[in-house]
Amino acid sequence: MIKKLAFFLCTTLLTSVATATQLTPEQQIAKERGMTLYNQYKAISAEPYLKIAAEAGDRESQYFLGEALRLNNRYMTTEAQKWYIAAAEQGDYYAMFRLSDTDTDLCNAMKNCPPGSRSDEDWTRLLWETAEPLAEKGDGEAMMIMYNSTGDLEWLEKSAAAGYAKAQWLLANRYKEGHGFFFPPWKRSEQIEELLRKSSEGNFVNGMGEYMGILQEKGDLAAARALLIKIAEAGDEGATGTYGAYLAHTPNTLDFPLDLVKGYGLISLLLELDGGGGAKEYAEDILPEIAAKMTPEQIEQAKTFAQEWKATHPPLSYFPEKLGF
């Protein structure tokens, strides 16, 4: 009875506060800066920017501030938990998912939960209460959070069928791992390729990357080149570095015409990724090799090209999973 009452109160509270927050221009700029830094694995630097928008009531910023605090401290802190709860109480089911994880439920682990605190079971029920009605209306993202919460592959299959590109990519990989039943067996590989094609067409970066590999294996280098450029233009750090390396023929994997200036310029952009992930170290290793083939004038042209690219394309990003580590 107590748990049912707590859940009722939780649901009532969520319904009463789940309203959209309108950020001021300054708060929106802070949020965007914080998200850029977070996506570049600079979570410590992202915190003060995300906090500006989180304190203004933006639930997405509240969730990612919780993520930044948890990742920076390597465990669920009371401050991170506070922001997850703030986001969850505005209807953010990703925050509910974090709070439903008993391994990260701080007060339960310490056995010092204050009266009225919600258990991990309460948060799980609230997540389902929030996401399932959306899923039943055809919301692919809500279907995928139901898969994340329940582990039921049918939810992931429904999400992919609804056209959610991220789910199409993940389902393809689940099928690669042996999940699902196919007869005849060769239908499995056909379905994996089809899912990755759809995910790529939905502009999901991981899906585009894996489908590019399929095109390359099939020998369709023109299509693979076009897709690599598209991923790089979206700001993906891996594709940006790969595109630059292929242009500089280090190596010449997809038969791009040699362009040392653009190749050097693109790879030099990775130097700003000093928060982790290894991209900066990769650039530091490969740039001298490319520079050895260039004149001083070409290197200066490459630096100019890099600044022009940066000004006209999205910030570089590792595109970390929203429910990552």
Side-chain angles (χ1 to χ4, degrees):
M1 175 64 73
I2 293 175
K3 283 190 175 181
K4 287 183 178 179
L5 178 59
F7 179 64
F8 171 76
L9 292 173
C10 183
T11 305
T12 302
L13 177 61
L14 180 136
T15 302
S16 66
V17 300
T19 55
T21 298
Q22 186 68 39
L23 296 177
T24 66
E26 293 78 12
Q27 292 164 346
Q28 183 63 33
I29 290 171
K31 175 184 177 179
E32 291 172 3
R33 179 60 178 158
M35 288 304 305
T36 293
L37 292 168
Y38 179 88
N39 289 335
Q40 293 180 344
Y41 293 161
K42 300 177 185 179
I44 292 176
S45 299
E47 280 184 30
Y49 295 100
L50 291 172
K51 192 171 185 179
I52 291 171
E55 289 179 339
D58 182 74
R59 79 179 193 184
E60 185 178 40
S61 299
Q62 291 168 344
Y63 172 77
F64 279 107
L65 179 56
E67 287 284 272
L69 288 161
R70 182 179 63 83
L71 292 170
N72 289 337
N73 291 281
R74 301 178 188 276
Y75 70 97
M76 176 74 86
T77 65
T78 54
E79 180 75 1
Q81 189 176 46
K82 167 188 142 181
W83 290 112
Y84 285 130
I85 291 172
E89 289 179 341
Q90 292 199 77
D92 189 299
Y93 46 59
Y94 291 99
M96 296 172 199
F97 181 90
R98 284 289 185 226
L99 293 164
S100 72
D101 186 344
T102 55
D103 292 334
T104 57
D105 190 335
L106 185 65
C107 71
N108 277 343
M110 297 179 69
K111 301 185 185 303
N112 64 351
C113 294
S117 293
R118 296 157 206 143
S119 69
D120 54 301
E121 291 89 353
D122 288 332
W123 286 117
T124 297
R125 285 195 296 270
L126 182 56
L127 188 161
W128 294 351
E129 182 78 12
T130 303
E132 193 162 6
L134 297 173
E136 289 173 350
K137 293 178 181 178
D139 187 323
E141 187 173 5
M143 293 173 189
M144 186 161 172
I145 198 71
M146 289 298 296
Y147 164 72
N148 292 133
S149 181
T150 65
D152 185 345
L153 190 69
E154 186 177 352
W155 277 119
L156 186 60
E157 291 173 329
K158 287 180 178 179
S159 181
Y164 190 47
K166 183 176 180 179
Q168 291 164 340
W169 164 79
L170 183 58
L171 182 59
N173 280 273
R174 290 293 177 266
Y175 287 162
K176 284 182 184 180
E177 295 164 1
H179 296 273
F181 175 77
F182 293 88
F183 185 82
W186 47 263
K187 286 286 186 182
R188 180 182 297 273
S189 59
E190 285 186 0
Q191 184 62 18
I192 290 170
E193 180 176 338
E194 178 66 8
L195 284 165
L196 291 175
R197 181 187 65 79
K198 289 179 178 178
S199 181
S200 177
E201 290 175 350
N203 296 323
F204 183 62
V205 165
N206 290 349
M208 288 192 283
E210 289 198 36
Y211 190 61
M212 186 190 79
I214 290 175
L215 294 172
Q216 185 176 347
E217 288 177 5
K218 288 185 168 184
D220 191 349
L221 299 188
R225 286 193 295 268
L227 194 49
L228 177 60
I229 293 171
K230 184 177 181 180
I231 306 170
E233 289 178 338
D236 181 73
E237 58 79 29
T240 300
T242 300
Y243 181 30
Y246 289 176
L247 285 171
H249 289 186
T250 53
N252 182 21
T253 302
L254 291 182
D255 289 341
F256 278 101
L258 179 66
D259 193 328
L260 295 171
V261 169
K262 288 184 180 180
Y264 185 101
L266 288 168
I267 295 173
S268 71
L269 292 170
L270 304 183
L271 294 172
E272 70 180 52
L273 298 178
D274 56 358
K280 179 175 180 286
E281 292 73 16
Y282 166 76
E284 290 173 338
D285 285 342
I286 197 172
L287 283 174
E289 180 182 347
I290 300 172
K293 308 172 189 176
M294 301 172 68
T295 65
E297 292 77 15
Q298 286 177 313
I299 292 175
E300 290 305 312
Q301 291 169 10
K303 293 177 180 178
T304 299
F305 170 79
Q307 292 308 307
E308 291 172 349
W309 178 281
K310 184 176 179 178
T312 55
H313 291 81
L316 288 176
S317 175
Y318 285 101
F319 291 99
E321 289 294 315
K322 195 166 184 177
L323 287 176
F325 296 107

